[in-house]
Each structure stands twice: as C-alpha cells, then as structure tokens.
Amino acid sequence: MDIRKITVLGAGLMGHGIAQVAAQIGKYDVTMRDVERRFIDNGMNMIKDSLERFVKKSQMTEVEMNEILARIHTTLDLREAVSDADLIIEAIPENVELKRTTFKEADAWAPPHAIIASNTSSVSITELASATGRPEKVCGMHFFNPPQLMKLVEIIKGAKTSDETIQTITETAHKLGKETVLVKKDSPGFIVNRILIPALNEAAALHWEGVADRDDIDRAVKLGLNWPMGPLMLLDYIGADTTLAIAEVLAKEIDPKFHASPGLKQMVKAQLLGRKTGKGYYEWTQK
Ligand code: NAD
C-alpha cells in the first residue's frame, strides 16, 4: 500500500519526534494532533529548535527547514486529523483505556484503508486492535527516544495483524531511515525492553543491597559491556516510575521472575524518579 499522509496522535516527547522524522526524512505530508493548543505549540517549538540546529551547522538550508515545517499540519480535532490519513501513529500517554478509546474513535473516522500503529512500550497491540473494526490493519511501531536519533523501530504483529500491514509498516519505517526488527508475537516488552528492564532492575538491586556503589555499578557496565552509559544513569533518563511500570507488566504478563526489586520501588516511593524530578541516582540540575 502506498502511504502518502501520516497522522501522529500526540505531540509529546515521542510524537513530535516521530512527526519531525516523517516530514524531514520521509518527506511525508504529516498531521500532528494533541488535545490542547499548548501541547501542539510545545511540540512544534521542539521541532523548530531541532531543525534550526541543522541550519546552524549548515547541514540544512533555511528554505529546506521551511519546506519541512510546511509539511507538518496541526489540529486539535481527531476527526480532521485522521479523515484522510493513510497511516496513523499513536503516541499518546501509556494508558490502556485512553489508548483503546482513541483507537475506537480513530477507527470510526479514518478511511477504511488506513493503518493504525501504536508506539506503546507495554500495552498489548491485540488489545488495542480489538477496540477497532480493522484488527488486521493494527500493529505496533515502537520508536526509541529520541526518534530523530535512534535507528531502531520494533514492528509488532498483533494476533490478527495481516502480513500486508507488516510489509507496509516495514517499508515506511525504512523510508524514515530506520532499521526494523519484527516482533512476531505480541509479547510484553517486545525485544528491547524485555532485555533492558531486567538489567536496570538488577542494577537497582545491586545498589539497594549495597553490593557496590553507584559509580562502580555504572563504570562496570560501561567498561565491561561497552554500554554508552551505565544502567543507573540510564534509569534516571528513563525514569524510575516508567521502569517500574514496565517491570510490573513483565512480571504480571510473562513470569513473576521479572518482579521489581525493593530498591527500584523505593526510588519511586521517594519520588527519586531521575531527570524528571531533578534527582534519582544522580543529581540533575536545570541545565
Ligand atoms: P508524553 O506524555 O510526552 O506525550 C503524550 C502526548 O499525548 C501529550 O502531549 C498529551 O497531551 C497527548 N495526548 C493525550 N491524549 C491524547 C489524545 N487522545 N490524542 C492526541 N494526543 C493526546 O508521552 P511520550 O513519552 O511521548 O509517550 C507516548 C507513547 O510513546 C507512550 O505509549 C509511551 O509508552 C511510548 N514510548 C515512550 C518512550 C519514551 O522514552 N518516552 C519511548 C518509546 C515509546
């Protein structure tokens, strides 16, 4: 299927980045929808800041920047956002009920041929698909943060997703300059988070048990495994709350062995969430 128009639902951290990549790299006609004007303005400002950095480094002309910006339309109206979309990428908060309602509404107003993909990190694709009348046209399209820089997209097949849908999404992700992997079963955490979250949880456990100090845990993994940053610092970037939420889904849906460590839970109880609260395993100043 030929994708020409992409609609991104959500102008937050992930949504604005996906919209930018679609307009900049894929040269698609993009519509970005959020529920309040200030969120859209904030998303558009982040896109402008990012493009201006390319211009400053002479990697892009001002004319090219303006062409990219002109390809991104914004709206608060879901019906208007999806009514002529070929592909809808949902990047709204990680809440099953909110996502199911949005899928149901998007399904009612989108053209019958449109594919609806979710950027969810942990919600079941099959559960989202069942809120629509087109489960064969629903799949996971999981970008990584920040979508402008990170190369990978995990493509997730729900129980009823058709091979044609997977093929179209794979081709589209390649047009966005991404590398793809196929997750053949809709299993929580997909590939990356199922490996990463237990590793971060173990780092939190080592710290909590006093087996080693923060800096030694991070240095050990950086030097011993060649990670670009240590697990406790990465945990601060992702947020202890997000990490805990994913660990709980893995424990509930796959195996109790994935249960969160008391150390991780303690960080959340103390609101030591990381960068977003100014303190986690590290201190995060304004800059
Ligand atoms: P965010 O909170 O930064 O952005 C979500 C945006 O969606 C907000 O601006 C909110 O106002 C908007 N929104 C709420 N309801 C909406 C609706 N009905 N229609 C349109 N917009 C609506 O969240 P985020 O970090 O961008 O995460 C979005 C999704 O991406 C989640 O499912 C998350 O699990 C997933 N994800 C996040 C990351 C990450 O590192 N943050 C990485 C991969 C995937």
Side-chain angles (χ1 to χ4, degrees):
M1 194 180 94
D2 198 19
I3 301 289
R4 275 171 298 164
K5 291 195 165 188
I6 296 183
T7 290
V8 180
L9 301 180
L13 202 60
M14 296 302 289
H16 90 273
I18 297 168
Q20 179 182 338
V21 171
Q24 180 182 347
I25 311 294
K27 301 204 173 349
Y28 288 103
D29 196 358
V30 179
T31 298
M32 184 167 74
R33 190 254 172 170
D34 208 302
V35 288
E36 284 186 40
R37 180 47 60 187
R38 63 193 169 112
F39 299 135
I40 291 182
D41 291 345
N42 192 33
M44 282 309 292
N45 285 337
M46 287 193 281
I47 294 174
K48 277 182 204 146
D49 285 351
S50 166
L51 294 175
E52 270 163 8
R53 260 177 263 143
F54 285 100
V55 174
K56 272 199 194 115
K57 286 192 224 154
S58 303
Q59 290 167 342
M60 180 185 288
T61 65
E62 218 163 316
V63 173
E64 283 166 333
M65 176 178 83
N66 289 330
E67 280 169 2
I68 295 164
L69 289 171
R71 279 198 284 276
I72 306 176
H73 315 278
T74 60
T75 179
L76 294 170
D77 184 343
L78 180 62
R79 184 176 195 158
E80 183 191 325
V82 302
S83 60
D84 62 351
D86 301 310
L87 167 62
I88 298 156
I89 304 174
E90 169 273 309
I92 70 172
E94 193 74 337
N95 172 312
V96 189
E97 280 321 308
L98 180 66
K99 284 191 194 282
R100 273 181 64 88
T101 306
T102 302
F103 266 64
K104 193 168 176 219
E105 289 170 0
D107 179 46
W109 292 321
H113 72 271
I115 292 175
I116 315 180
S118 177
N119 184 49
T120 180
S121 303
S122 61
V123 173
S124 155
I125 301 303
T126 306
E127 196 173 345
L128 296 179
S130 71
T132 74
R134 62 179 92 197
E136 72 290 350
K137 290 194 165 64
V138 173
C139 70
M141 190 176 190
H142 187 220
F143 291 80
F144 289 78
N145 185 19
Q148 295 95 327
L149 291 182
M150 298 296 282
K151 272 278 163 205
L152 181 66
V153 172
E154 289 180 319
I155 297 178
I156 303 102
K157 206 170 186 304
K160 292 186 180 165
T161 311
S162 71
D163 291 340
E164 197 197 338
T165 296
I166 294 294
Q167 194 190 329
T168 304
I169 292 302
T170 305
E171 287 166 8
T172 308
H174 292 164
K175 274 197 198 162
L176 300 184
K178 301 301 179 197
E179 307 224 9
T180 58
V181 290
L182 177 63
V183 182
K184 296 191 290 177
K185 283 187 184 162
D186 177 19
S187 176
F190 313 133
I191 298 172
V192 173
N193 280 335
R194 178 147 167 195
I195 293 171
L196 175 65
I197 298 298
L200 301 187
N201 187 43
E202 272 324 293
L206 281 169
H207 186 260
W208 172 254
E209 291 161 15
V211 176
D213 289 337
R214 174 195 78 183
D215 290 349
D216 280 341
I217 295 170
D218 273 1
R219 250 163 34 91
V221 174
K222 270 172 74 175
L223 298 175
L225 296 177
N226 242 347
W227 285 27
M229 74 172 75
L232 296 176
M233 183 172 281
L234 182 54
L235 220 159
D236 270 5
Y237 270 99
I238 295 175
D241 52 343
T242 305
T243 308
L244 175 63
I246 301 175
E248 283 174 343
V249 172
L250 295 177
K252 181 166 169 265
E253 302 285 338
I254 304 178
D255 193 306
K257 74 178 179 190
F258 289 107
H259 68 86
S261 76
L264 181 59
K265 288 183 184 162
Q266 182 82 359
M267 295 299 278
V268 176
K269 280 182 200 148
Q271 286 295 295
L272 295 168
L273 304 183
R275 237 160 60 116
K276 65 176 100 170
T277 54
K279 189 166 163 48
Y281 289 98
Y282 292 80
E283 298 274 355
W284 299 90
T285 58
Q286 261 323 80
K287 58 182 176 144

